[in-house]
Amino acid sequence: MSVLDKYEVVIGLEVHAQLNTKSKIFTSDSTAFGAEPNTQINPITLGMPGVLPKMNIAVIEKAVKMGVACNCTINEYNFFDRKNYFYADLPKGYQISQDKQPICIGGYVEIKIDKTTKKINLTRIHLEEDAGKLNHELDAHYSLVDLNRAGIPLIEIVSEPDIRNSEEAYQYLTEVRKLVRYIDVCDGNMEEGSMRCDANVSVRLKGETNYRTRVEVKNMNSIRNVKRAIDIEVKRQVEIYESGGTIAQETRSFNPNDGSSFPLRTKEDAHDYRYFPEPDLPLLHIPKDTIEAIKQNMPLLPNYLYHKFIHEYNLSEYDAQILTDEREIASFYLEIIQHTKNYKSVANWLINDIKSYLNENNLSVADLKISSNQIADIIALVDANEINSTNSKLLFSAYLNGNNKTAKDLAIELNLIQSNNEDELMVWAKNAIENNPAKVAEYKKGKQGLLAMFVGDVMKASKGKADPKRTNQLLLELLDN
């Protein structure tokens, strides 16, 4: 048994998601990514004397949407607080955040692990403004400050310490990213920093009930790197305990290049931030009817669609998972099945053909030149045995350049309509057998796998128009006589 098996891992995650509003939380500065450094700032962002913040109402709506998606209680009465600390990228010397009265309380996110569902409980979701960003690479001697990001609205999603291994953390972050994208509050792009995660990690002996000292791990730019960083931190802590040492409460940075971590600073506790109520922002009241209106306008969420696809449309768990990974794919599925009841075939087209085409060409569903009813019409032609599976792909490809013709008309134009003429099929089948006497002899000696070769010859002779199912039957009748 590995020494790691003696220990239980305890993980809580803090996810910061930048809300995709056009302007910042307390000022009209643009939030657009990629602008020249320090071009999206003003006196409010910089905390100049005499300036006053003004609440961006779109921020409130997006935070409430996330709370609804995470099954939280929405707090009607919100206060903001000053979180005091000094750092080069924090121009005011404090961050406007929420301490005692967060906008969303409690809640949970469901994850799937080994075909079972687990609820990861949330402590809270609160609003705050982002800090700026330090760049250590542009100058050999100095760290440069870019304050474009300062003041961008954030929600911080704080989980309870319910996560027990790195795989659960991976699935939780995947689900959170899926949610923020479904409800359109954040693009979830960890590489650009619009979604960031800090992991609080500790280990304890199995059977222990008290929590041991936790370590916060930062600087993870992908969900995969969060998983890696947790595994490395768990191993480090276990090795320290096994050698008789103690864990220091600290913040560590993860280096994704070599998989190492190093201490940044001793971890601050909440009282070190000297929170006090933000004097320049009044009480924020969110009326119940506003909360209810936001709930009524929520899109269908991935977990709901996952169960709907399984129980109403009889799809497999695998198909349902793939289809609900992205909102635009799930929405396109729902659109296509308005025109056909062959739910499984629609799933196959989306998973195997459409998603592949989109990924290979770096496109979105909105870029497709084939409509939902045209896809349904292709499926109908296959179901009616008018075209075969191979020719359905050719018809699909023909639509990708844009075409308003019906699937039947386009299939006729491209000579893709399947031949079910018994006389034609028999001629092609007999020719395939007569042209391959040696293979016929091998088949009759037991090499029945050669049937596929004969079918291939028929398909080639018919230019793909022969009905494969009937071709198989005719060849078997001829070969077995």
Side-chain angles (χ1 to χ4, degrees):
M1 184 177 76
S2 167
V3 68
L4 292 173
D5 294 332
K6 292 168 52 179
Y7 291 86
E8 179 181 53
V9 180
V10 180
I11 302 165
L13 297 181
E14 299 170 5
V15 178
H16 291 83
Q18 288 183 354
L19 300 178
N20 55 3
T21 54
K22 293 181 179 179
S23 56
K24 295 183 180 180
I25 185 169
F26 301 122
T27 176
S28 60
D29 288 339
S30 172
T31 59
F33 179 78
E36 288 294 313
N38 298 311
T39 59
Q40 296 176 170
I41 57 176
N42 70 18
I44 297 176
T45 302
L46 299 176
M48 295 295 186
V51 299
L52 293 172
K54 184 178 180 181
M55 193 72 221
N56 181 348
I57 203 67
V59 170
I60 303 301
E61 294 171 356
K62 288 182 180 289
V64 171
K65 284 176 72 175
M66 192 61 188
V68 172
C70 293
N71 312 285
C72 303
T73 299
I74 308 301
N75 187 8
E76 288 185 57
Y77 297 96
N78 285 253
F79 293 92
F80 286 86
D81 303 275
R82 287 190 181 181
K83 181 180 180 180
N84 297 276
Y85 63 97
F86 295 94
Y87 206 61
D89 61 7
L90 195 68
K92 298 194 292 280
Y94 62 86
Q95 180 184 31
I96 300 179
S97 181
Q98 290 185 303
D99 181 28
K100 297 293 191 297
Q101 293 277 45
I103 193 167
C104 308
I105 302 166
Y108 61 87
V109 172
E110 286 190 351
I111 64 171
K112 299 176 186 68
I113 298 289
D114 297 329
K115 295 188 177 181
T116 62
T117 299
K118 178 177 179 177
K119 285 184 180 179
I120 306 299
N121 291 300
L122 303 183
T123 307
R124 57 195 279 152
I125 300 175
H126 65 261
L127 278 165
E128 62 187 19
E129 59 180 340
D130 209 344
K133 186 177 182 180
L134 291 178
N135 189 302
H136 308 286
E137 299 171 356
L138 293 178
D139 193 287
H141 305 288
Y142 298 98
S143 292
L144 305 180
V145 183
D146 179 8
L147 294 177
N148 281 349
R149 198 174 72 180
I152 285 182
L154 291 177
I155 48 173
E156 181 173 350
I157 306 155
V158 183
S159 84
E160 290 287 302
D162 289 349
I163 299 169
R164 290 294 172 264
N165 55 56
S166 63
E167 179 59 28
E168 288 186 4
Y170 183 96
Q171 295 301 328
Y172 170 82
L173 281 176
T174 300
E175 198 64 31
V176 168
R177 183 172 64 181
K178 190 189 300 183
L179 282 173
V180 300
R181 288 173 171 173
Y182 256 76
I183 62 176
D184 190 30
V185 301
C186 173
D187 64 22
N189 192 329
M190 292 187 73
E191 291 76 12
E192 292 181 1
S194 54
M195 188 172 118
R196 308 191 291 276
C197 176
D198 300 334
N200 292 290
V201 183
S202 66
V203 299
R204 62 186 177 185
L205 290 171
K206 288 183 177 177
E208 277 189 75
T209 55
N210 293 328
Y211 295 127
R212 292 193 182 186
T213 303
R214 73 183 187 277
V215 170
E216 183 180 42
V217 185
K218 289 180 174 286
N219 191 33
M220 298 166 290
N221 63 356
S222 71
I223 296 178
R224 177 175 171 271
N225 279 333
V226 172
K227 187 176 189 294
R228 289 176 63 207
I230 289 171
D231 286 335
I232 288 165
E233 179 58 24
V234 167
K235 185 173 181 291
R236 186 187 75 87
Q237 290 189 24
V238 168
E239 288 174 350
I240 290 173
Y241 281 131
E242 287 295 301
S243 64
T246 57
I247 302 296
Q249 185 170 337
E250 62 184 357
T251 298
R252 298 180 71 85
S253 180
F254 176 68
N255 184 340
N257 296 322
D258 61 10
S260 65
S261 70
F262 54 90
L264 286 174
R265 57 185 177 271
T266 302
K267 174 64 179 171
E268 306 93 340
D269 286 318
H271 60 266
D272 291 324
Y273 291 124
R274 294 175 290 115
Y275 283 103
F276 65 84
E278 168 56 61
D280 293 334
L281 285 170
L283 164 72
L284 174 68
H285 176 227
I286 310 174
K288 286 184 179 178
D289 57 352
T290 298
I291 297 171
E292 191 58 35
I294 292 172
K295 287 182 178 179
Q296 293 303 317
N297 288 309
M298 289 283 288
L300 297 175
L301 297 177
N303 196 44
Y304 171 84
L305 289 174
Y306 173 82
H307 291 289
K308 182 182 181 73
F309 289 175
I310 291 172
H311 299 300
E312 288 190 32
Y313 306 138
N314 295 316
L315 299 183
S316 67
E317 291 181 3
Y318 173 82
D319 286 353
Q321 186 65 53
I322 298 297
L323 291 173
T324 56
D325 276 345
E326 300 172 53
R327 180 183 172 183
E328 64 171 7
I329 293 295
S331 298
F332 199 37
Y333 179 82
L334 291 171
E335 192 178 325
I336 298 170
I337 63 171
Q338 297 302 308
H339 309 287
T340 176
K341 300 304 178 187
N342 192 335
Y343 306 129
K344 174 59 178 171
S345 186
V346 177
N348 290 343
W349 271 98
L350 274 167
I351 293 169
N352 299 321
D353 299 277
I354 296 172
K355 275 177 67 73
S356 296
Y357 173 76
L358 295 177
N359 291 336
E360 288 168 7
N361 295 279
N362 196 27
L363 300 174
S364 68
V365 168
D367 299 318
L368 276 176
K369 293 183 178 179
I370 182 170
S371 66
S372 56
N373 63 298
Q374 287 171 334
I375 293 170
D377 286 346
I378 293 174
I379 292 171
L381 288 178
V382 175
D383 290 346
N385 214 28
E386 293 192 61
I387 62 172
N388 58 42
S389 177
T390 300
N391 284 347
S392 72
K393 312 301 181 188
L394 297 175
L395 190 55
F396 173 73
S397 296
Y399 268 126
L400 293 176
N401 294 321
N403 197 304
N404 292 324
K405 293 182 179 179
T406 67
K408 181 69 173 284
D409 288 344
L410 188 56
I412 292 171
E413 179 183 307
L414 297 174
N415 199 26
L416 300 178
I417 295 296
Q418 188 165 269
S419 173
N420 293 306
N421 184 296
E422 287 284 321
D423 293 337
E424 271 191 319
L425 292 176
M426 183 60 76
V427 170
W428 287 324
K430 285 182 176 179
N431 286 342
I433 291 172
E434 290 171 0
N435 292 336
N436 295 281
K439 298 297 182 182
V440 171
E442 290 180 39
Y443 175 86
K444 290 183 177 294
K445 289 180 180 178
K447 284 193 175 182
Q448 296 186 344
L450 288 170
L451 179 64
M453 186 211 75
F454 293 112
V455 173
D457 281 359
V458 172
M459 298 306 292
K460 185 177 179 181
S462 67
K463 297 181 180 178
K465 293 195 297 179
D467 177 353
K469 185 176 179 180
R470 185 56 184 147
T471 297
N472 266 276
Q473 293 170 346
L474 288 175
L475 285 168
L476 285 171
E477 291 171 9
L478 292 170
L479 289 167
D480 292 339
N481 287 333

